[in-house]
Amino acid sequence: MTEPTSTGRAGTTRGPRDPRPSVRRTPGRAVAAVLGDLRAVDGALYAAVAATPTPTLDRALRRLSHAADHSKVSLGIAAALSLSGARARRAALVGAGAVAVASATTNLLGKRLVHRARPDRESARVTVDRYVPMPASASFPSGHTAAAVAFATAVGVVLPAAAVPLGALASAVGYSRVHTGVHYPGDVAAGAVVGIASAPAALAAAGGGPGYGVRWG
């Protein structure tokens, strides 16, 4: 039995008809499909971290995550810098300013626009040895990460020697939020973007810095 064919206006015979209707993907559907895939990857990364036993790291990362509450680590470093020379005091000033900008952007804008629920760490079987209090706020973006990255970026501009250690500390803070089960990796990545974007605003408000039009003494 041959499949049905259709004849065009000039009498030419076309190929077999596809019984399935053609589905044209609109831009909105394409974006939704990409976002769905990204959420799937995000969830898979979260589950992988939760399923990896790291008893040696659990206590240290839990303590770091808790210490980063309300930017206590960054502000403590800023306080220590303020006791040093003029350049270090300026670094402390812009660092604290960057933390303020990042925190405001995260809590007053980001979390209110994207109402992402916190991860279900019980279902993911995150070991209780990693637990820190689960925040009541929305999950996206990570405020801890935003503040830590903003501080590291701003201080690193004024004190280049501090850029690498502070960057490593900010990375550890961000990872600790995933490790303790209170954030997805995507929340942390978004928080890092907010932090990087907050540093120039703080530098500009404080009068500049290397590469921002004013030479620091």
Side-chain angles (χ1 to χ4, degrees):
M1 179 180 293
T2 60
E3 296 187 11
T5 58
S6 60
T7 304
R9 292 181 180 177
T12 57
T13 301
R14 298 176 182 175
R17 291 179 180 175
D18 188 346
R20 298 169 299 176
S22 60
V23 177
R24 183 172 297 176
R25 177 169 290 183
T26 64
R29 288 181 178 178
V31 171
V34 171
L35 291 177
D37 289 347
L38 290 176
R39 282 193 294 268
V41 172
D42 206 17
L45 290 174
Y46 178 88
V49 171
T52 304
T54 54
T56 304
L57 292 175
D58 289 349
R59 179 178 296 180
L61 289 172
R62 186 183 73 243
R63 288 179 175 176
L64 176 61
S65 182
H66 180 68
D69 289 346
H70 309 295
S71 301
K72 292 193 295 285
V73 173
S74 297
L75 296 180
I77 295 173
L81 290 173
S82 67
L83 300 177
S84 302
R87 192 180 185 93
R89 285 194 294 272
R90 288 167 180 158
L93 175 64
V94 297
V99 168
V101 173
S103 297
T105 302
T106 299
N107 294 307
L108 300 180
L109 185 62
K111 290 182 181 293
R112 294 188 178 186
L113 291 176
V114 183
H115 302 281
R116 188 181 196 184
R118 292 280 174 171
D120 186 349
R121 59 183 174 187
E122 287 80 12
S123 296
R125 297 184 180 180
V126 177
T127 177
V128 294
D129 292 338
R130 300 182 183 182
Y131 276 24
V132 295
M134 180 67 76
S137 61
S139 189
F140 184 96
S142 167
H144 286 65
T145 306
V149 171
F151 182 81
T153 304
V155 173
V157 170
V158 183
L159 294 177
V164 172
L166 289 180
L169 177 61
S171 299
V173 168
Y175 174 73
S176 74
R177 302 304 284 172
V178 180
H179 193 86
T180 55
V182 298
H183 274 295
Y184 292 102
D187 303 334
V188 170
V193 171
V194 172
I196 292 171
S198 299
L203 285 159
Y212 286 87
V214 176
R215 182 180 179 183
W216 293 95

